[in-house]
Amino acid sequence: MPNEENALQNRVRSLMQDARMTQTQLAEAIGITTTKLSLSLNGSRRFSTFELAAIAEKFHTTVDFLVSGKSPLRAALAARDDSDKSPGWEVAVRRAESLDETEAALNDLGIPPALSPLADWRRPTLSGRAITVGPALADAARALLADDFRDDMPGAIENAFGIHVIAESFGPGFDGLSWRSEDCRIIVINTDAAWSRQRFTLAHELEHHLAGDVDADGLVVDRDVMLTHHRIPEMRANSFAAALLMPEQEIRERVKGMVTPASFASLIGVFTVSSGALAWRLKNLGLVNDAERSSFSRMSASDAAREGGWEDRYFELVKHQSRQRPAAALVLRTLRAFAAGDISAEWPARVLDCAPGLLHEALDGSASEVAEDKEPVFVP
């Protein structure tokens, strides 16, 4: 439509003016000739999807803004009352925001989505106490998850619910956050925490999405998922996480008679949770008393692994607990679009948090330079 095209041209001109950038400079930055850019700005030629993505990247905005004028989402504003949070929390919010802007740009360009957020989710009625609603939500969630979901929780959650899951180092100050916009859903996990806490936090954040807690403001931040005396949504999320990671039926099938230190140690390995989380779960199910709960909670993970016979698994968990995980589905989506020539390397680089040149080197398969009189020892 002419009016929409004119508005698009005006927005690009305005961005150029604010940045004090000439047509020649912008054309060079986005990889086209000055003539082509001039024709597009004058309405004699339409911008390509690649060019729109490159312009949006250059001016740190979104394709949606260029096309429709809709301001980019700044969900950090939704948490303006949380100014006491750590610098790590602020970095995590900006990371989620960057991923969301990437997803929005791909959607605007008509690039096929990799995930369908909550496509098959039917939320049970949220009524009653948090301690009962949480397990009900967990039962409904488990019906959509693969039986072995505990082996790869991030991948299982992405596949079942269409929620991007990333795990990165953000320093101390928070465990995780949940993000939602009209374009995507995201869970961010802080790897500067023990493996058991990361797993519990991931389940906790999943509940915020499934229960609709994140729908109102688009952002829920959890500095400490283990705090007591939480608000109802946080109590419900913890109840959900406990029931999802440690299903009642499976626990009762494995617990025969009295819970002993040996059987408790074995159960920690089965469910790969902390001793404190398992002890509270057993207490709430009436399988141990409070004195036993307190005693079992003091069992260290290393002692549990040795006593329970799952030391190899324990060492693997510890070894990889700081491993970072990108938003896998979004990585593939941006790489495919880049390989097809629909977007620049800036977009997959943003998702992978790396330099665009590294992607060019990896995808182009460029060989190492070798002196003419030398035999190459290794060419990647």
Side-chain angles (χ1 to χ4, degrees), residues 7-249:
L8 167 60
Q9 296 152 18
N10 290 335
R11 278 189 282 273
V12 175
R13 286 196 189 93
S14 178
L15 290 170
M16 292 171 58
Q17 183 177 354
D18 291 343
R20 297 182 179 180
M21 182 178 291
T22 66
Q23 289 190 20
T24 299
Q25 290 171 328
L26 178 58
E28 182 179 349
I30 65 176
I32 64 174
T33 65
T34 304
T35 300
K36 282 186 176 181
L37 177 59
S38 179
L39 290 173
S40 295
L41 289 173
N42 292 327
S44 301
R45 173 184 178 272
R46 294 176 65 89
F47 285 106
S48 71
T49 55
F50 180 93
E51 291 160 6
L52 287 174
I55 292 171
E57 176 67 22
K58 181 63 181 176
F59 292 114
H60 305 289
T61 186
T62 65
V63 174
D64 193 18
F65 169 74
L66 296 176
V67 174
S68 67
K70 185 172 66 175
S71 297
L73 175 68
R74 299 295 178 193
L77 296 177
R80 57 188 176 274
D81 293 332
D82 294 319
S83 57
D84 62 326
K85 296 293 192 294
S86 70
W89 168 83
E90 295 173 354
V91 173
V93 170
R94 289 196 296 271
R95 188 77 174 105
E97 186 176 49
S98 175
L99 296 177
D100 179 71
E101 289 176 351
T102 302
E103 190 87 308
L106 297 176
N107 291 342
D108 293 337
L109 293 172
I111 294 170
L115 299 175
S116 299
L118 301 187
D120 300 321
W121 173 247
R122 297 293 179 269
R123 183 186 302 156
T125 302
L126 300 182
S127 60
R129 296 184 304 162
I131 199 170
T132 58
V133 173
L137 281 171
D139 289 342
R142 199 177 299 108
L144 296 179
L145 289 164
D147 291 339
D148 59 351
F149 78 93
R150 286 191 296 250
D151 294 339
D152 178 17
M153 285 181 60
I157 289 171
E158 284 188 340
N159 293 332
F161 303 107
I163 302 172
H164 295 299
V165 178
I166 71 168
E168 296 182 4
S169 171
F170 297 104
F174 90 109
D175 286 329
L177 64 80
S178 294
W179 173 288
R180 177 189 180 275
S181 74
E182 61 184 27
D183 289 291
C184 67
R185 291 177 179 270
I186 302 170
I187 291 174
V188 177
I189 301 299
N190 189 0
T191 59
D192 291 314
W195 56 266
S196 57
R197 194 181 189 95
Q198 290 181 45
R199 292 169 66 82
F200 194 89
T201 299
L202 178 53
H204 180 105
E205 300 303 331
L206 173 61
E207 193 276 345
H208 283 319
H209 285 275
L210 300 185
D213 299 333
V214 74
D215 292 353
D217 293 329
L219 181 66
V220 172
V221 178
D222 288 297
R223 282 192 291 174
D224 185 351
V225 297
M226 300 300 181
L227 283 177
T228 57
H229 308 300
H230 271 311
R231 295 180 298 110
I232 294 299
E234 299 304 320
M235 294 172 60
R236 187 179 61 226
N238 278 350
S239 179
F240 168 91
L244 184 70
L245 295 173
M246 301 167 280
E248 178 177 359
Q249 181 178 348

